[in-house]
Amino acid sequence: MEREECTAHCPYCGEPLTLLLDPMEAGTDYIEDCQVCCRPMVVAVSAEADGSLSALVRAEHE
């Protein structure tokens, strides 16, 4: 399965980020550092009804 590109914004600095989501990660959370400010954020990956992937990004201690 091919990775899907998703755009999100860092919960700390607000900068737009490009995330590559793996379909095998649907339903999981993982930690990734912001590409701009390097702070750790939680990425929650979910599968939509049409099969596409989406990501909800939040601060690590929210």
Side-chain angles (χ1 to χ4, degrees):
M1 294 187 140
E2 196 170 310
R3 289 181 171 232
E4 219 175 286
E5 196 172 281
C6 177
T7 302
H9 288 84
C10 174
Y12 301 105
C13 68
E15 289 294 318
L17 308 168
T18 300
L19 304 171
L20 289 176
L21 305 179
D22 187 326
M24 299 300 289
E25 295 172 336
T28 64
D29 293 357
Y30 68 91
I31 304 288
E32 183 169 325
D33 290 342
C34 172
Q35 300 154 0
V36 178
C37 71
C38 300
R39 294 183 70 183
M41 57 192 171
V42 178
V43 180
V45 182
S46 60
E48 302 298 325
D50 65 1
S52 66
L53 297 174
S54 65
L56 177 64
V57 179
R58 66 181 189 277
E60 185 178 30
H61 298 290
E62 270 187 19

